Amino acid sequence: MSGGAVPGPDGRLRCPWGLSTEDYVTYHDTEWGRPLHGDDALYERLCLEAFQSGLSWLTILRRREGFRSAFDGFRIASVAAFTDADAERLLADEGIIRNRAKIEATLANARVLAEWAEGELDELIWSYAPDPGRPAPLTTADVPAVTPESTALSKALKKRGLRFIGPTTAYALMQACGLVDDHLKDCVARTGSN
């Protein structure tokens, strides 16, 4: 079956994308699709998904520590206090993606989120998790890029003042943070035998 789970070097079946590099194998096996909670942790993922827009996820993964360093561990309260000088510093930081619109959105989003109650981002995002009983995808062709839930989540976040979070980015966030499990049916990460 084209696009189905494929055996890795260890013989275990994985989603095809999760085998292209060692970075992806680790991310696929230990992080992607696992439930993630906490406002700062979810803010980090929101930011990284926004930075990934138009780029490969591998580019983001390989610069993740640079992002964490540049954005003070993605602590919302800390990033919300960043100044114009910090924005200029970030534009010169070769350890991250130096895209002005994405950097400005990251700072603006932190300022919005700093006004929210503790746990409010977590609660809002997770309120859009679809039915966990949906069938597992058999092939990569069965994995959507956008869903009604991701469209609704995107609209809710935008309505609350967040930027750079369209329906596709919202769905990638949902996949990455475990709101949906898009590991293929025969994937070791879904079957739990990893």
Side-chain angles (χ1 to χ4, degrees):
M1 183 180 319
S2 177
V6 296
D10 58 5
R12 297 184 301 170
L13 295 175
R14 288 183 177 83
C15 302
W17 69 265
L19 289 170
S20 61
T21 70
E22 189 58 39
D23 297 299
Y24 273 159
V25 172
T26 300
Y27 179 68
H28 171 274
D29 287 2
T30 64
E31 195 171 350
W32 192 75
R34 304 288 195 285
L36 180 71
H37 288 279
D39 291 346
D40 288 344
L42 290 167
Y43 169 67
E44 175 184 358
R45 294 298 182 79
L46 267 171
C47 296
L48 294 178
E49 293 295 346
F51 273 102
Q52 185 271 330
S53 181
L55 303 170
S56 85
W57 183 244
L58 188 58
T59 300
I60 303 304
L61 275 182
R62 290 184 172 163
R63 294 181 183 209
R64 192 172 191 182
E65 290 310 313
F67 276 108
R68 286 176 171 164
S69 176
F71 289 100
D72 199 21
F74 289 100
R75 289 190 295 273
I76 294 168
S78 180
V79 178
F82 278 21
T83 64
D84 289 345
D86 289 308
E88 292 307 312
R89 170 186 56 83
L90 293 166
L91 284 167
D93 189 333
E94 294 181 4
I96 67 170
I97 305 302
R98 296 174 291 171
N99 177 294
R100 183 176 296 278
K102 293 175 182 182
I103 289 170
E104 288 175 355
T106 299
L107 303 185
N109 289 347
R111 291 178 189 123
V112 168
L113 293 171
E115 300 297 319
W116 293 19
E118 185 175 336
E120 193 171 350
L121 177 62
D122 189 300
E123 184 178 330
L124 176 69
I125 288 174
W126 277 90
S127 73
Y128 288 90
D131 176 9
R134 70 184 190 152
L138 299 176
T139 72
T140 54
D142 299 327
V143 178
V146 174
T147 64
E149 295 88 358
S150 74
T151 300
L153 174 58
S154 170
K155 286 180 182 176
L157 292 169
K158 286 179 179 179
K159 184 176 181 181
R160 300 282 305 268
L162 298 183
R163 297 169 24 193
F164 236 101
I165 181 79
T168 303
T169 299
Y171 194 68
L173 174 77
M174 295 170 82
Q175 291 173 305
C177 298
L179 279 76
V180 296
D181 183 355
D182 276 342
H183 286 287
L184 301 182
K185 183 177 187 295
D186 296 328
C187 175
V188 66
R190 180 179 277 276
T191 63
S193 57
N194 56 346

PDB file of all heavy atoms in Angstrom, residues 112 116 121 124-125 127-128 148-162 165 170:
ATOM      1  N   VAL A 112      -0.141  39.245  24.010  1.00  0.00           N
ATOM      2  CA  VAL A 112      -1.555  38.900  24.149  1.00  0.00           C
ATOM      3  C   VAL A 112      -1.721  37.820  25.224  1.00  0.00           C
ATOM      4  O   VAL A 112      -2.543  37.945  26.134  1.00  0.00           O
ATOM      5  CB  VAL A 112      -2.144  38.418  22.795  1.00  0.00           C
ATOM      6  CG1 VAL A 112      -3.513  37.782  22.987  1.00  0.00           C
ATOM      7  CG2 VAL A 112      -2.215  39.570  21.803  1.00  0.00           C
ATOM      8  N   TRP A 116      -3.664  36.610  29.536  1.00  0.00           N
ATOM      9  CA  TRP A 116      -4.596  35.515  29.794  1.00  0.00           C
ATOM     10  C   TRP A 116      -4.336  34.915  31.168  1.00  0.00           C
ATOM     11  O   TRP A 116      -3.219  34.980  31.695  1.00  0.00           O
ATOM     12  CB  TRP A 116      -4.446  34.424  28.745  1.00  0.00           C
ATOM     13  CG  TRP A 116      -4.866  34.809  27.358  1.00  0.00           C
ATOM     14  CD1 TRP A 116      -5.021  36.065  26.854  1.00  0.00           C
ATOM     15  CD2 TRP A 116      -5.152  33.928  26.284  1.00  0.00           C
ATOM     16  NE1 TRP A 116      -5.391  36.010  25.533  1.00  0.00           N
ATOM     17  CE2 TRP A 116      -5.482  34.706  25.157  1.00  0.00           C
ATOM     18  CE3 TRP A 116      -5.160  32.554  26.153  1.00  0.00           C
ATOM     19  CZ2 TRP A 116      -5.829  34.160  23.930  1.00  0.00           C
ATOM     20  CZ3 TRP A 116      -5.496  31.996  24.932  1.00  0.00           C
ATOM     21  CH2 TRP A 116      -5.833  32.791  23.836  1.00  0.00           C
ATOM     22  N   LEU A 121      -4.565  29.259  27.722  1.00  0.00           N
ATOM     23  CA  LEU A 121      -4.145  28.828  26.381  1.00  0.00           C
ATOM     24  C   LEU A 121      -4.302  27.320  26.252  1.00  0.00           C
ATOM     25  O   LEU A 121      -4.841  26.826  25.264  1.00  0.00           O
ATOM     26  CB  LEU A 121      -2.702  29.246  26.095  1.00  0.00           C
ATOM     27  CG  LEU A 121      -2.137  28.784  24.744  1.00  0.00           C
ATOM     28  CD1 LEU A 121      -2.930  29.386  23.582  1.00  0.00           C
ATOM     29  CD2 LEU A 121      -0.657  29.139  24.635  1.00  0.00           C
ATOM     30  N   LEU A 124      -7.993  26.439  25.991  1.00  0.00           N
ATOM     31  CA  LEU A 124      -8.569  26.817  24.705  1.00  0.00           C
ATOM     32  C   LEU A 124      -8.125  25.856  23.603  1.00  0.00           C
ATOM     33  O   LEU A 124      -8.955  25.327  22.857  1.00  0.00           O
ATOM     34  CB  LEU A 124      -8.180  28.248  24.325  1.00  0.00           C
ATOM     35  CG  LEU A 124      -8.671  28.697  22.943  1.00  0.00           C
ATOM     36  CD1 LEU A 124     -10.186  28.858  22.932  1.00  0.00           C
ATOM     37  CD2 LEU A 124      -8.008  29.979  22.525  1.00  0.00           C
ATOM     38  N   ILE A 125      -6.839  25.615  23.495  1.00  0.00           N
ATOM     39  CA  ILE A 125      -6.345  24.730  22.435  1.00  0.00           C
ATOM     40  C   ILE A 125      -6.959  23.337  22.570  1.00  0.00           C
ATOM     41  O   ILE A 125      -7.478  22.776  21.596  1.00  0.00           O
ATOM     42  CB  ILE A 125      -4.799  24.676  22.447  1.00  0.00           C
ATOM     43  CG1 ILE A 125      -4.239  26.004  21.916  1.00  0.00           C
ATOM     44  CG2 ILE A 125      -4.294  23.491  21.601  1.00  0.00           C
ATOM     45  CD1 ILE A 125      -2.737  26.134  22.010  1.00  0.00           C
ATOM     46  N   SER A 127      -9.627  22.406  23.889  1.00  0.00           N
ATOM     47  CA  SER A 127     -11.081  22.356  23.696  1.00  0.00           C
ATOM     48  C   SER A 127     -11.433  22.055  22.239  1.00  0.00           C
ATOM     49  O   SER A 127     -12.578  21.706  21.936  1.00  0.00           O
ATOM     50  CB  SER A 127     -11.735  23.662  24.152  1.00  0.00           C
ATOM     51  OG  SER A 127     -11.470  24.720  23.242  1.00  0.00           O
ATOM     52  N   TYR A 128     -10.465  22.150  21.335  1.00  0.00           N
ATOM     53  CA  TYR A 128     -10.694  21.868  19.918  1.00  0.00           C
ATOM     54  C   TYR A 128     -10.210  20.483  19.502  1.00  0.00           C
ATOM     55  O   TYR A 128     -10.226  20.145  18.315  1.00  0.00           O
ATOM     56  CB  TYR A 128     -10.050  22.955  19.043  1.00  0.00           C
ATOM     57  CG  TYR A 128     -10.837  24.242  19.140  1.00  0.00           C
ATOM     58  CD1 TYR A 128     -10.530  25.191  20.108  1.00  0.00           C
ATOM     59  CD2 TYR A 128     -11.924  24.470  18.309  1.00  0.00           C
ATOM     60  CE1 TYR A 128     -11.268  26.356  20.231  1.00  0.00           C
ATOM     61  CE2 TYR A 128     -12.680  25.628  18.431  1.00  0.00           C
ATOM     62  CZ  TYR A 128     -12.348  26.561  19.394  1.00  0.00           C
ATOM     63  OH  TYR A 128     -13.100  27.700  19.522  1.00  0.00           O
ATOM     64  N   PRO A 148     -12.074  20.687  10.070  1.00  0.00           N
ATOM     65  CA  PRO A 148     -12.998  21.675  10.640  1.00  0.00           C
ATOM     66  C   PRO A 148     -12.531  22.163  12.017  1.00  0.00           C
ATOM     67  O   PRO A 148     -12.662  23.345  12.344  1.00  0.00           O
ATOM     68  CB  PRO A 148     -14.331  20.921  10.724  1.00  0.00           C
ATOM     69  CG  PRO A 148     -14.237  19.884   9.646  1.00  0.00           C
ATOM     70  CD  PRO A 148     -12.788  19.469   9.630  1.00  0.00           C
ATOM     71  N   GLU A 149     -11.947  21.257  12.804  1.00  0.00           N
ATOM     72  CA  GLU A 149     -11.455  21.638  14.127  1.00  0.00           C
ATOM     73  C   GLU A 149     -10.281  22.600  14.038  1.00  0.00           C
ATOM     74  O   GLU A 149     -10.194  23.557  14.819  1.00  0.00           O
ATOM     75  CB  GLU A 149     -11.051  20.395  14.934  1.00  0.00           C
ATOM     76  CG  GLU A 149     -12.187  19.468  15.274  1.00  0.00           C
ATOM     77  CD  GLU A 149     -12.489  18.416  14.209  1.00  0.00           C
ATOM     78  OE1 GLU A 149     -11.825  18.420  13.140  1.00  0.00           O
ATOM     79  OE2 GLU A 149     -13.381  17.596  14.426  1.00  0.00           O
ATOM     80  N   SER A 150      -9.375  22.366  13.098  1.00  0.00           N
ATOM     81  CA  SER A 150      -8.212  23.269  12.986  1.00  0.00           C
ATOM     82  C   SER A 150      -8.651  24.637  12.462  1.00  0.00           C
ATOM     83  O   SER A 150      -8.101  25.661  12.867  1.00  0.00           O
ATOM     84  CB  SER A 150      -7.109  22.671  12.102  1.00  0.00           C
ATOM     85  OG  SER A 150      -7.423  22.701  10.729  1.00  0.00           O
ATOM     86  N   THR A 151      -9.648  24.640  11.592  1.00  0.00           N
ATOM     87  CA  THR A 151     -10.188  25.912  11.104  1.00  0.00           C
ATOM     88  C   THR A 151     -10.834  26.681  12.252  1.00  0.00           C
ATOM     89  O   THR A 151     -10.622  27.893  12.408  1.00  0.00           O
ATOM     90  CB  THR A 151     -11.186  25.660   9.964  1.00  0.00           C
ATOM     91  OG1 THR A 151     -10.499  24.980   8.897  1.00  0.00           O
ATOM     92  CG2 THR A 151     -11.776  26.945   9.434  1.00  0.00           C
ATOM     93  N   ALA A 152     -11.594  25.970  13.078  1.00  0.00           N
ATOM     94  CA  ALA A 152     -12.243  26.609  14.225  1.00  0.00           C
ATOM     95  C   ALA A 152     -11.218  27.091  15.247  1.00  0.00           C
ATOM     96  O   ALA A 152     -11.353  28.193  15.798  1.00  0.00           O
ATOM     97  CB  ALA A 152     -13.228  25.640  14.871  1.00  0.00           C
ATOM     98  N   LEU A 153     -10.172  26.295  15.497  1.00  0.00           N
ATOM     99  CA  LEU A 153      -9.118  26.698  16.431  1.00  0.00           C
ATOM    100  C   LEU A 153      -8.406  27.941  15.919  1.00  0.00           C
ATOM    101  O   LEU A 153      -8.172  28.893  16.667  1.00  0.00           O
ATOM    102  CB  LEU A 153      -8.118  25.561  16.649  1.00  0.00           C
ATOM    103  CG  LEU A 153      -6.888  25.895  17.491  1.00  0.00           C
ATOM    104  CD1 LEU A 153      -7.266  26.386  18.880  1.00  0.00           C
ATOM    105  CD2 LEU A 153      -5.962  24.675  17.579  1.00  0.00           C
ATOM    106  N   SER A 154      -8.073  27.960  14.643  1.00  0.00           N
ATOM    107  CA  SER A 154      -7.424  29.122  14.040  1.00  0.00           C
ATOM    108  C   SER A 154      -8.278  30.375  14.226  1.00  0.00           C
ATOM    109  O   SER A 154      -7.780  31.428  14.647  1.00  0.00           O
ATOM    110  CB  SER A 154      -7.175  28.869  12.548  1.00  0.00           C
ATOM    111  OG  SER A 154      -6.754  30.044  11.895  1.00  0.00           O
ATOM    112  N   LYS A 155      -9.568  30.253  13.941  1.00  0.00           N
ATOM    113  CA  LYS A 155     -10.468  31.400  14.085  1.00  0.00           C
ATOM    114  C   LYS A 155     -10.541  31.861  15.536  1.00  0.00           C
ATOM    115  O   LYS A 155     -10.541  33.063  15.818  1.00  0.00           O
ATOM    116  CB  LYS A 155     -11.869  31.039  13.575  1.00  0.00           C
ATOM    117  CG  LYS A 155     -11.960  30.965  12.074  1.00  0.00           C
ATOM    118  CD  LYS A 155     -13.371  30.598  11.620  1.00  0.00           C
ATOM    119  CE  LYS A 155     -13.424  30.480  10.113  1.00  0.00           C
ATOM    120  NZ  LYS A 155     -14.755  30.041   9.651  1.00  0.00           N
ATOM    121  N   ALA A 156     -10.599  30.916  16.469  1.00  0.00           N
ATOM    122  CA  ALA A 156     -10.691  31.265  17.893  1.00  0.00           C
ATOM    123  C   ALA A 156      -9.434  31.983  18.362  1.00  0.00           C
ATOM    124  O   ALA A 156      -9.509  32.978  19.105  1.00  0.00           O
ATOM    125  CB  ALA A 156     -10.925  30.010  18.732  1.00  0.00           C
ATOM    126  N   LEU A 157      -8.263  31.498  17.935  1.00  0.00           N
ATOM    127  CA  LEU A 157      -7.007  32.140  18.337  1.00  0.00           C
ATOM    128  C   LEU A 157      -6.881  33.532  17.719  1.00  0.00           C
ATOM    129  O   LEU A 157      -6.467  34.480  18.393  1.00  0.00           O
ATOM    130  CB  LEU A 157      -5.814  31.256  17.960  1.00  0.00           C
ATOM    131  CG  LEU A 157      -5.702  29.952  18.757  1.00  0.00           C
ATOM    132  CD1 LEU A 157      -4.659  29.035  18.132  1.00  0.00           C
ATOM    133  CD2 LEU A 157      -5.369  30.233  20.219  1.00  0.00           C
ATOM    134  N   LYS A 158      -7.262  33.658  16.456  1.00  0.00           N
ATOM    135  CA  LYS A 158      -7.219  34.972  15.795  1.00  0.00           C
ATOM    136  C   LYS A 158      -8.187  35.947  16.450  1.00  0.00           C
ATOM    137  O   LYS A 158      -7.861  37.120  16.647  1.00  0.00           O
ATOM    138  CB  LYS A 158      -7.526  34.831  14.302  1.00  0.00           C
ATOM    139  CG  LYS A 158      -6.403  34.221  13.493  1.00  0.00           C
ATOM    140  CD  LYS A 158      -6.798  34.097  12.042  1.00  0.00           C
ATOM    141  CE  LYS A 158      -5.690  33.505  11.206  1.00  0.00           C
ATOM    142  NZ  LYS A 158      -6.089  33.370   9.798  1.00  0.00           N
ATOM    143  N   LYS A 159      -9.372  35.458  16.787  1.00  0.00           N
ATOM    144  CA  LYS A 159     -10.369  36.312  17.434  1.00  0.00           C
ATOM    145  C   LYS A 159      -9.851  36.839  18.775  1.00  0.00           C
ATOM    146  O   LYS A 159     -10.174  37.955  19.171  1.00  0.00           O
ATOM    147  CB  LYS A 159     -11.661  35.528  17.638  1.00  0.00           C
ATOM    148  CG  LYS A 159     -12.795  36.342  18.212  1.00  0.00           C
ATOM    149  CD  LYS A 159     -14.063  35.517  18.304  1.00  0.00           C
ATOM    150  CE  LYS A 159     -15.191  36.363  18.857  1.00  0.00           C
ATOM    151  NZ  LYS A 159     -16.430  35.600  18.975  1.00  0.00           N
ATOM    152  N   ARG A 160      -9.009  36.059  19.429  1.00  0.00           N
ATOM    153  CA  ARG A 160      -8.441  36.453  20.723  1.00  0.00           C
ATOM    154  C   ARG A 160      -7.177  37.295  20.551  1.00  0.00           C
ATOM    155  O   ARG A 160      -6.525  37.642  21.521  1.00  0.00           O
ATOM    156  CB  ARG A 160      -8.117  35.208  21.554  1.00  0.00           C
ATOM    157  CG  ARG A 160      -9.320  34.315  21.870  1.00  0.00           C
ATOM    158  CD  ARG A 160     -10.212  34.813  22.987  1.00  0.00           C
ATOM    159  NE  ARG A 160      -9.551  35.072  24.215  1.00  0.00           N
ATOM    160  CZ  ARG A 160      -9.402  34.216  25.211  1.00  0.00           C
ATOM    161  NH1 ARG A 160      -9.883  32.989  25.101  1.00  0.00           N
ATOM    162  NH2 ARG A 160      -8.776  34.569  26.313  1.00  0.00           N
ATOM    163  N   GLY A 161      -6.789  37.586  19.291  1.00  0.00           N
ATOM    164  CA  GLY A 161      -5.681  38.497  19.040  1.00  0.00           C
ATOM    165  C   GLY A 161      -4.373  37.869  18.612  1.00  0.00           C
ATOM    166  O   GLY A 161      -3.379  38.569  18.417  1.00  0.00           O
ATOM    167  N   LEU A 162      -4.329  36.539  18.439  1.00  0.00           N
ATOM    168  CA  LEU A 162      -3.085  35.893  18.027  1.00  0.00           C
ATOM    169  C   LEU A 162      -2.914  35.983  16.514  1.00  0.00           C
ATOM    170  O   LEU A 162      -3.890  36.019  15.763  1.00  0.00           O
ATOM    171  CB  LEU A 162      -3.047  34.446  18.483  1.00  0.00           C
ATOM    172  CG  LEU A 162      -3.086  34.239  19.991  1.00  0.00           C
ATOM    173  CD1 LEU A 162      -2.959  32.764  20.335  1.00  0.00           C
ATOM    174  CD2 LEU A 162      -1.998  35.027  20.691  1.00  0.00           C
ATOM    175  N   ILE A 165      -1.467  32.201  12.595  1.00  0.00           N
ATOM    176  CA  ILE A 165      -1.984  30.887  12.958  1.00  0.00           C
ATOM    177  C   ILE A 165      -3.201  30.568  12.094  1.00  0.00           C
ATOM    178  O   ILE A 165      -4.338  30.703  12.527  1.00  0.00           O
ATOM    179  CB  ILE A 165      -2.284  30.779  14.471  1.00  0.00           C
ATOM    180  CG1 ILE A 165      -2.806  29.399  14.865  1.00  0.00           C
ATOM    181  CG2 ILE A 165      -3.220  31.858  14.952  1.00  0.00           C
ATOM    182  CD1 ILE A 165      -1.753  28.369  14.987  1.00  0.00           C
ATOM    183  N   ALA A 170      -2.628  25.565  12.442  1.00  0.00           N
ATOM    184  CA  ALA A 170      -3.370  25.064  13.600  1.00  0.00           C
ATOM    185  C   ALA A 170      -3.433  23.535  13.574  1.00  0.00           C
ATOM    186  O   ALA A 170      -3.298  22.886  14.622  1.00  0.00           O
ATOM    187  CB  ALA A 170      -4.772  25.662  13.640  1.00  0.00           C
TER     188      ALA A 170
END
